[in-house]
Amino acid sequence: QVQLVESGGGLVQPGGSLRLSCAASGNVFSINAMGWYRQAPGKERELVASITSGRNTNYADSVKGRFTISSAKNMVYLQISSLKPEDTAVYYCNYRGLSALGVVIAQYWGQGTQVTVSS
């Protein structure tokens, strides 16, 4: 099992910034991918950004240029800037343990952290 603990959400004005953090602990994998998803009310959960243990990153088109994902040992961060009201959602940390061939062996989710963008 891998446990994920997120932090950093909150209320921010449009145009503001936030930094989300997620710490992974437990039986972590040497090859992995960590990322952030979000789910707004009435919408499906969507990928925001992901990063592999090899530092390859992937972003949703809607956040390119505004969000930056980074990682350290068993940690993943999401720097969010130029926030818009439509960024309001619960943000979930995601962890995928991978085989040497990139096959997902296990997947875990954090409990979610609320980001609200409002004036």
Side-chain angles (χ1 to χ4, degrees), residues 17-84:
S17 299
L18 278 177
R19 189 190 195 212
L20 306 183
S21 301
C22 175
S25 62
N27 296 325
V28 296
F29 291 74
S30 59
I31 304 173
N32 61 75
M34 296 186 74
W36 294 92
Y37 286 69
R38 67 185 180 186
Q39 187 167 19
K43 295 187 177 182
E44 294 186 353
R45 191 174 296 188
E46 62 175 359
L47 172 68
V48 175
S50 65
I51 185 167
T52 67
S53 48
R55 302 291 192 269
N56 295 312
T57 60
N58 181 46
Y59 293 92
D61 288 341
S62 60
V63 306
K64 285 180 180 177
R66 299 189 299 121
F67 291 18
T68 302
I69 191 168
S70 61
S71 65
K73 184 176 176 61
N74 297 328
M75 294 288 298
V76 65
Y77 307 95
L78 188 68
Q79 181 68 43
I80 310 174
S81 59
S82 303
L83 277 159
K84 305 175 182 179

Side-chain angles (χ1 to χ4, degrees), residues 72-118:
K73 184 176 176 61
N74 297 328
M75 294 288 298
V76 65
Y77 307 95
L78 188 68
Q79 181 68 43
I80 310 174
S81 59
S82 303
L83 277 159
K84 305 175 182 179
E86 52 263 42
D87 294 319
T88 296
V90 178
Y91 284 69
Y92 295 91
C93 180
N94 175 263
Y95 182 100
R96 297 184 180 187
L98 306 175
S99 72
L101 296 178
V103 175
V104 178
I105 298 173
Q107 178 172 238
Y108 302 93
W109 293 94
Q111 79 283 1
T113 185
Q114 177 71 46
V115 172
T116 302
V117 184
S118 176

